[in-house]
Amino acid sequence: MEFPRNCDHAAARARFDQLAAMLEQRFRCTCSVDRGAQDASHQGTIVIPTIATASGDHITITVSDFSNLVAVTLGNPGSYNEEVEGLLF
């Protein structure tokens, strides 16, 4: 249940690493990259630091093992109430 039956872990990890590198280039910073997702249905998380954003908060990107799905949140996932998070997207 952690990953799709036909999951190509090497290809998924390569896409995740490529995304992390692209974000570092785009934001001109070093992102915090957590590839150690165990017993989870995601490849890992990438955090763009506050110093690289205009929002005054960091951006967290969680990359799913299922298809090309990502969750992008301001701050930590769930750190803002629904009303504020709804305004972000």
Side-chain angles (χ1 to χ4, degrees):
M1 298 309 254
E2 294 176 28
F3 51 87
R5 191 170 304 204
N6 300 345
C7 182
D8 181 345
H9 288 288
R13 180 52 48 115
R15 283 191 308 273
F16 178 81
D17 290 340
Q18 183 180 24
L19 175 61
M22 290 171 54
L23 288 168
E24 287 185 346
Q25 281 184 326
R26 174 65 176 96
F27 284 88
R28 296 183 181 133
C29 67
T30 300
C31 296
S32 171
V33 180
D34 180 4
R35 295 173 181 86
Q38 295 181 4
D39 300 326
S41 58
H42 62 277
Q43 280 291 315
T45 57
I46 303 166
V47 177
I48 300 167
T50 302
I51 60 168
T53 69
S55 68
D57 206 345
H58 63 276
I59 299 170
T60 303
I61 301 166
T62 305
V63 180
S64 175
D65 277 334
F66 292 84
S67 190
N68 293 320
L69 301 173
V70 298
V72 179
T73 57
L74 186 59
N76 294 323
S79 61
Y80 289 90
N81 65 36
E82 281 185 32
E83 184 177 312
V84 172
E85 285 183 353
L87 296 175
L88 297 175
F89 301 100

